[in-house]
């Protein structure tokens, strides 16, 4: 039955195949929008009372419509900054990287830094023909007089000129929670693993200006709209990045709804942490802001990633360097407990990166301990990645009211690496979507861009197939989910993660008018076609922010 509110519409989209994600009306053929919200959903005849003399009518020609797509683990601000730096997109071998660096060196005065866009670890290791990270030995020949830094979330790679600039040599010890890459002779390779080690380099990099951050966000929003993204949850933004978001929001140019967790420095004293959280206390609960920009709570890093051997696992595993390791615990357990207690004191939400099984164990143990003191269920604490949960972990997540945001696209970028490092049995258990959904755990999907590609249709397709990019091999076939379940992970569940289940995630009267028009129906088209479906139109808050020629553009 057609659902309408008694308002004349600004826009009516008709002749469509609408997947509403609303159980009360799962399918429709027409939608009416007014003042940034849906006011009618049904068929063209049923919505005719909402059509006035100024209503724009948009014939979609039988195209499919889905709710606006939500990426619940994204670094929009980092993606944007990367668009201003040396791009490593599409590199296939170390020689390609060296060539991009050499090109920038020729245009840069000697002594100035060459810094790349942030790139995911798989793109500079597993997806390269050499199956290894570049080192300073690769970079030095083309950059003897320029310090170089290749940026990735869990590793920085620098050349010899950069080592001299930052004052690090073979005698420099590994900082707690971090690691300096060394070869078999103990010489530095130029790799700095995890934030404590990366900080040795970051403090010397050229400062990023506010104007840079705003310009990057603007570019990233446009790129995200083109692929159907209407909302993101950014994890670990700096206060400077939050200021850039606020600036773009004030200009009315923020076209991706953004829910932002602020980065926390766990090395600060308890007094400093308490003061920092006291200043952020206004972001408690669901967060502070409006439907376009909300700031909410804290982001922590407990461990690293499987691909670089820093995910904290229950048993030793082989790392990319060929060694055996349990991984790295970045924040000591006692300090994590202190942070969680302070967050509880200030009613702040906490999200933390916890990839490995041991990291999940200790996080949930700490959750339980602070929950016994002050209940946390109303804040939906977030386990980010959560790749290797046990059955006990899944039960604890439900009991504590926590939520999971995860990304199967890691198995697309480096699935064969999981098998190589962890063995087939454990690799097949990674990111168990089927187990989570069957247990009733709220799980939302995302990309972790710029670590992985930000295209949501790629993520949707991969949740259904779990195929490795290089070989097509299926990793964990029994953990595949249906296209309808994957779409829920990018819509309904994505909205729940950010306390927006009454605002967005479905196409229904009264909800925010965020939608995506696709070239075909992702629930009925051939599975292989999902990732390449044309994104014909993206609407956010009733405003068309992307349109193919001839379709609202």
């Amino acid at each position: 039955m057609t659902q309408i509110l008694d308002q004349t519409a600004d826009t009516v989209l008709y002749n469509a195949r609408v997947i509403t994600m609303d159980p009360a009306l799962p399918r429709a053929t027409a939608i009416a929008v007014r003042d940034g919200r849906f006011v009618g959903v049904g068929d063209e005849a049923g919505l005719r009372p909402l059509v006035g003399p100024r209503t724009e009518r948009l014939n979609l020609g039988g195209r499919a419509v889905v709710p606006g797509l939500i990426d619940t683990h994204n670094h929009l601000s980092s993606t944007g900054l990367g668009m201003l730096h040396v791009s490593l997109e599409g590199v296939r071998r170390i020689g390609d990287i060296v060539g991009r660096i050499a090109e920038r060196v020729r245009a840069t005065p000697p002594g100035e830094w060459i810094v790349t866009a942030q790139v995911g670890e798989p793109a500079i290791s597993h997806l390269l023909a050499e199956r290894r990270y570049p080192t300073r030995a690769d970079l030095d020949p083309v950059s003897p007089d320029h310090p170089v830094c290749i940026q990735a979330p869990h590793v920085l790679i620098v050349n010899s000129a950069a080592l001299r600039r930052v004052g690090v040599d073979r005698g420099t010890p590994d900082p707690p929670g971090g690691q300096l890459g060394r070869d078999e002779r103990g010489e530095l390779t130029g790799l700095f693993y995890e934030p404590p080690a990366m900080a040795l380099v970051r403090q010397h990099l050229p400062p990023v200006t506010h104007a840079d951050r705003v310009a990057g966000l603007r570019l990233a929003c446009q790129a995200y709209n083109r692929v159907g993204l209407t909302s993101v949850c950014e994890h670990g933004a700096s206060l400077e990045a939050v200021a850039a978001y606020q600036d773009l929001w004030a200009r009315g140019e923020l076209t991706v709804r953004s829910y932002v967790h602020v980065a926390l420095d766990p090395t600060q004293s308890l007094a400093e942490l308490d003061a920092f959280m006291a200043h952020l206390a206004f972001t408690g609960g669901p967060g502070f802001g409006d439907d376009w920009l909300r700031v909410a709570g804290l982001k922590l890093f407990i461990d690293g990633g499987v691909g670089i051997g820093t995910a904290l696992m229950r048993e030793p595993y082989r790392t990319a360097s060929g060694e055996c390791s349990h991984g790295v615990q970045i924040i000591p357990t006692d300090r994590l407990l202190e942070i969680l207690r302070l967050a509880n004191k200030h009613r702040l939400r906490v999200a933390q990166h916890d990839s490995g099984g041991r990291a999940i164990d200790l996080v949930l143990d700490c959750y339980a301990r602070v929950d016994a003191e002050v209940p946390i269920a109303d804040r939906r604490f977030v386990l980010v990645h959560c790749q290797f949960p046990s059955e006990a972990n899944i039960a604890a997540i439900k009991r504590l009211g926590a939520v999971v945001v995860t990304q199967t696209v890691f198995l697309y970028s480096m699935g064969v690496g999981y098998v190589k490092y962890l063995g087939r049995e454990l690799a097949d258990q990674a990111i168990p979507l089927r187990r989570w959904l069957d247990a009733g755990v709220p799980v939302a999907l995302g990309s972790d861009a710029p670590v992985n590609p930000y295209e949501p249709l790629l993520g949707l397709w991969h949740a259904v197939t779990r195929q490795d990019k290089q070989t097509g091999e299926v990793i964990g076939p029994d953990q595949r989910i249906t296209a309808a379940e994957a779409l829920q992970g990018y819509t309904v569940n994505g909205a729940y993660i950010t306390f927006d289940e009454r605002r967005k995630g479905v196409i229904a009267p009264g909800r925010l008018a965020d939608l995506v028009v696709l070239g075909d129906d992702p629930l009925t088209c051939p599975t292989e076609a999902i990732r390449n479906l044309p994104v014909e139109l993206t609407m956010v808050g009733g405003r068309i922010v992307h349109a193919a020629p001839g379709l609202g553009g």
Side-chain angles (χ1 to χ4, degrees):
M1 180 181 295
T2 297
Q3 301 174 333
I4 64 173
L5 300 178
D6 187 18
Q7 301 178 66
T8 301
D10 296 325
T11 306
V12 170
L13 301 90
Y14 66 99
N15 190 15
R17 290 177 287 165
V18 184
I19 305 166
T20 68
M21 303 304 292
D22 179 4
L25 184 68
R27 291 277 181 165
T29 59
I31 305 166
V33 175
R34 179 181 172 85
D35 293 335
R37 292 183 179 269
F38 298 119
V39 293
V41 181
D43 58 30
E44 187 180 2
L47 299 187
R48 196 164 292 135
L50 300 181
V51 177
R54 297 185 178 180
T55 300
E56 179 182 9
R57 301 177 73 251
L58 190 57
N59 185 344
L60 296 185
R63 295 173 177 86
V65 180
V66 299
L69 299 176
I70 303 167
D71 187 327
T72 49
H73 185 71
N74 197 288
H75 303 278
L76 178 65
S77 60
S78 294
T79 302
L81 282 177
M83 293 177 175
L84 307 177
H85 289 103
V86 178
S87 172
L88 297 184
E89 184 176 357
V91 295
R92 294 291 179 264
R93 53 188 58 83
I94 290 174
D96 296 340
I97 295 174
V98 172
R100 304 268 179 99
I101 298 297
E103 183 178 352
R104 183 59 63 93
V105 163
R106 289 191 289 271
T108 304
E112 291 190 10
W113 278 93
I114 308 293
V115 181
T116 73
Q118 191 173 90
V119 64
E121 282 85 5
I124 50 172
S125 58
H126 302 83
L127 300 183
L128 296 176
E130 296 86 353
R131 300 293 189 271
R132 67 171 177 84
Y133 290 106
T135 67
R136 65 177 175 130
D138 299 306
L139 303 175
D140 285 351
V142 299
S143 56
D145 302 316
H146 295 76
V148 172
C149 179
I150 297 173
Q151 299 191 95
H154 296 279
V155 65
L156 297 181
I157 304 173
V158 305
N159 64 349
S160 295
L163 287 177
R164 293 191 296 270
R165 179 71 61 87
V166 304
V168 171
D169 57 33
R170 65 174 295 165
T172 303
D174 291 348
Q179 190 175 42
L180 305 181
R182 303 177 193 272
D183 63 20
E184 61 279 359
R185 297 169 300 169
E187 296 291 340
L188 295 177
T189 60
L191 277 70
F192 290 70
Y193 296 105
E194 297 305 334
M198 296 158 69
L200 300 175
V201 177
R202 288 203 185 281
Q203 60 185 313
H204 296 275
L205 294 179
V208 178
T209 68
H210 177 74
D212 288 340
R213 296 182 191 280
V214 173
L217 274 175
R218 184 183 292 111
L219 290 172
C221 284
Q222 294 166 0
Y224 281 28
N225 291 154
R226 287 194 293 269
V227 298
L229 283 172
T230 60
S231 296
V232 298
C233 181
E234 169 144 358
H235 290 263
S238 65
L239 294 179
E240 292 82 2
V242 173
Y245 270 111
Q246 186 179 22
D247 196 338
L248 204 65
W249 168 85
R251 297 169 190 241
E253 297 180 38
L254 189 62
T255 59
V256 175
R257 301 187 192 277
S258 301
Y259 183 95
V260 181
H261 290 122
V262 177
L264 180 77
D265 179 1
T267 66
Q268 292 180 312
S269 70
L270 280 182
E272 290 171 324
L273 289 170
D274 193 15
F276 182 79
M277 292 191 206
H279 282 94
L280 277 182
F282 71 95
T283 73
F288 176 82
D290 63 8
D291 291 327
W292 286 101
L293 176 63
R294 298 224 308 283
V295 181
L298 309 167
K299 170 65 182 294
L300 310 171
F301 283 86
I302 305 304
D303 68 344
V306 171
I308 54 176
T310 55
L312 187 64
M313 303 293 283
R314 299 183 183 98
E315 301 293 337
Y317 64 105
R318 187 165 60 161
T319 70
S321 63
E323 302 171 350
C324 277
S325 171
H326 276 90
V328 174
Q329 182 174 344
I330 297 173
I331 302 177
T333 305
D334 289 347
R335 173 45 61 103
L336 176 60
L337 270 170
E338 292 170 337
I339 291 171
L340 291 175
R341 286 189 173 114
L342 285 175
N344 252 0
K345 171 184 172 182
H346 295 291
R347 302 294 297 167
L348 289 171
R349 187 185 205 191
V350 177
Q352 72 288 302
H353 172 122
D354 40 38
S355 288
R358 176 61 188 139
I360 300 166
D361 292 343
L362 71 89
V363 163
L364 289 172
D365 178 64
C366 290
Y367 276 13
R369 293 168 70 177
V370 299
D371 179 70
E373 300 163 1
V374 178
I376 64 173
D378 63 325
R379 273 164 290 147
R380 302 179 190 175
F381 278 19
V382 188
L383 288 95
V384 180
H385 303 308
C386 195
Q387 296 192 42
F388 297 94
S390 65
E391 291 303 318
N393 293 155
I394 292 174
I397 290 168
K398 290 190 66 177
R399 184 174 66 254
L400 294 164
V403 294
V404 173
V405 299
T406 197
Q407 312 80 31
T408 69
V409 284
F410 278 103
L411 301 177
Y412 172 74
S413 299
M414 51 177 288
V416 291
Y418 276 59
V419 175
K420 176 181 177 181
Y421 303 136
L422 305 175
R424 166 59 65 178
E425 182 178 358
L426 188 53
D428 280 344
Q429 296 174 26
I431 315 173
L433 295 183
R434 181 77 277 147
R435 286 170 56 211
W436 274 320
L437 293 182
D438 289 349
V441 171
V443 177
L445 299 174
S447 66
D448 199 6
V451 179
N452 294 305
Y454 54 75
E455 291 84 355
L457 292 176
L458 173 67
L460 198 159
W461 163 82
H462 193 266
V464 177
T465 65
R466 294 175 69 100
Q467 291 181 13
D468 172 73
K469 179 179 182 178
Q470 300 173 73
T471 66
E473 184 177 351
V474 176
I475 312 298
D478 62 340
Q479 295 306 313
R480 291 176 291 192
I481 61 175
T482 68
E485 290 169 327
L487 183 59
Q488 180 160 326
Y490 273 101
T491 54
V492 175
N493 291 3
Y496 181 83
I497 295 298
T498 58
F499 296 88
D500 287 316
E501 61 268 29
R502 298 182 185 277
R503 293 187 183 94
K504 60 187 180 183
V506 301
I507 296 175
R511 304 297 179 96
L512 295 169
D514 301 350
L515 62 79
V516 182
V517 178
L518 301 173
D520 202 352
D521 186 332
L523 306 190
T524 60
C525 73
T527 298
E528 189 55 35
I530 293 173
R531 60 175 169 172
N532 295 315
L533 288 177
V535 177
E536 305 276 14
L537 180 144
T538 304
M539 175 182 284
V540 188
R543 172 187 168 195
I544 295 174
V545 293
H546 158 72
L551 189 63

